[in-house]
Amino acid sequence: FIGIPSFAPEHFRRVRLKDPLKSKQLQKGLLQLSEEGAVQVFRPTSGAEFILGAVGVLQFDVTMERLKAEYGVNAVYEGVSFTTARWVRCADRKQFEDFQKKNQGNLAIDAEGHLTYLAASEWRLQHTMEQWPAVEFLKSREHG
């Protein structure tokens, strides 16, 4: 059995905790909500914050309400400059390491530990794909 695939989200928000002491509860809540498919959670490779990805913007409101009600986490979300995401992989390890070094500000790890490229625009995504032909940019990813 192969699980339901994840599709690249179209909307992104950064999560901000109102109480920094609740970071463990936030992490637990976001992980649980991402497992349920409520939102996708990305952790930038350079930073400690979380970025949420969703297909529809109402998912962010629902997520914030559930974090508050179920995990006691008072958080807000704010806009980020990302508009698209792709899971990335590459058979050539050296090429992949170079890609990661040069695109560090756009890389994040999803809730299941997979590397993801976050782009500010479709143009930026296409440009990066042309620059790195050996890297695969996947619009969906199977779970399992």
Side-chain angles (χ1 to χ4, degrees), residues 86-141:
R86 295 293 183 270
W87 287 276
V88 289
R89 65 183 182 200
C90 182
D92 183 326
R93 215 170 98 207
K94 173 89 175 82
Q95 282 263 337
F96 204 40
E97 286 172 5
D98 289 347
F99 167 79
Q100 290 177 57
K101 276 184 205 152
K102 292 197 169 78
N103 292 282
Q104 202 167 24
N106 292 78
L107 296 176
I109 306 295
D110 74 4
E112 292 186 13
H114 298 279
L115 191 63
T116 311
Y117 177 80
L118 303 173
S121 67
E122 280 293 327
W123 181 89
R124 172 56 60 196
L125 173 63
Q126 290 302 321
H127 181 71
T128 304
M129 289 169 74
E130 288 166 15
Q131 284 184 305
W132 299 94
V135 176
E136 287 183 80
F137 291 80
L138 307 169
K139 205 170 188 168
S140 66
R141 190 182 57 70

